[in-house]
Amino acid sequence: MGDVWQDVLSVQPHPDQWIIIGAAAVALAVVLLGQPWRVARNVVTIAHEGGHALVALLSGRQLTGIRLHSDTSGVTVSRGRPTGIGMILTVFAGYVAPSVIGLLGILMLMAGRITALLWLSIVVLAAMLLMIRNLYGVISIVATGAVVFGVSWFTPHEVQAAFAYLFIWFLLFAGVRPVIELQSQRMRQPSPHSDADQLARLTGLPGTFWVMVFLLVNAAVTLLGVWMLFF
């Protein structure tokens, strides 16, 4: 365990530039292509619901459970005031969480904390697992955690670096597409339960306004992440 702890706290060398660029290209392809996206979107859902859960706790709400569904939707339930800034921030956090997590991950990668990033991901997944309230959610969290653990435990630092960059690039790029899908779904089949429409009821501003805010925030965060790594 001492060796493991030393690895987690140590600074790993940055991979070659071609690995970083290659990981970005693969991550972008996964976001843009249909079948890979349908599988990988489960990771986005975990980040989305994790964002709701974290902000709910930080705003003083009581988190009661998280459900992840096979259609890549999810639900996070918390108790507290049904209105107010805490509720607004909790609802807002979901769609911006993947991109923000990606940006925070880039900061860790730039500091050479590759192994620490992987183990932090495992800790966060384990914490979320305690709040999962359905079987598919348990399977999704455990499978994701098993992949990250396998890479961090059984592979050399070079492979860990490539995987970490792929993982973070994916979260960074994946923030925009769900927002576009949200607006498309709202146009085809309006639902009062979408995050944008819940924010509309909480703030009095139209749901489309909140969709545009989600899109602008995620696009800005993505561009910032790309600039940080390449410029």
Side-chain angles (χ1 to χ4, degrees), residues 55-195:
V55 176
L57 292 173
L58 292 176
S59 62
R61 301 181 62 81
Q62 180 183 359
L63 186 63
T64 59
I66 301 171
R67 290 178 176 270
L68 307 174
H69 304 137
S70 58
D71 62 355
T72 70
S73 64
V75 177
T76 298
V77 180
S78 61
R79 294 177 180 173
R81 287 185 58 193
T83 59
I85 187 63
M87 187 63 184
I88 291 172
L89 292 175
T90 298
V91 177
F92 180 80
Y95 275 100
V96 301
S99 294
V100 172
I101 294 171
L103 184 63
L104 295 176
I106 284 177
L107 293 175
M108 293 189 69
L109 293 178
M110 291 178 66
R113 303 293 182 175
I114 296 171
T115 303
L117 171 66
L118 298 177
W119 278 85
L120 179 60
S121 301
I122 295 171
V123 171
V124 171
L125 289 169
M128 283 190 66
L129 184 61
L130 298 176
M131 299 307 301
I132 296 296
R133 296 295 182 261
N134 67 323
L135 178 60
Y136 184 83
V138 170
I139 294 173
S140 183
I141 293 287
V142 170
T144 303
V147 171
V148 178
F149 174 78
V151 171
S152 65
W153 189 264
F154 295 109
T155 65
H157 289 307
E158 296 79 7
V159 176
Q160 292 182 30
F163 177 82
Y165 274 93
L166 174 63
F167 179 53
I168 292 304
W169 276 127
F170 172 74
L171 286 176
L172 193 68
F173 292 149
V176 173
R177 181 165 178 173
V179 178
I180 297 173
E181 293 174 346
L182 168 65
Q183 183 60 16
S184 177
Q185 183 180 14
R186 292 180 71 247
M187 294 175 65
R188 292 194 316 269
Q189 189 177 2
S191 170
H193 303 297
S194 75
D195 289 359

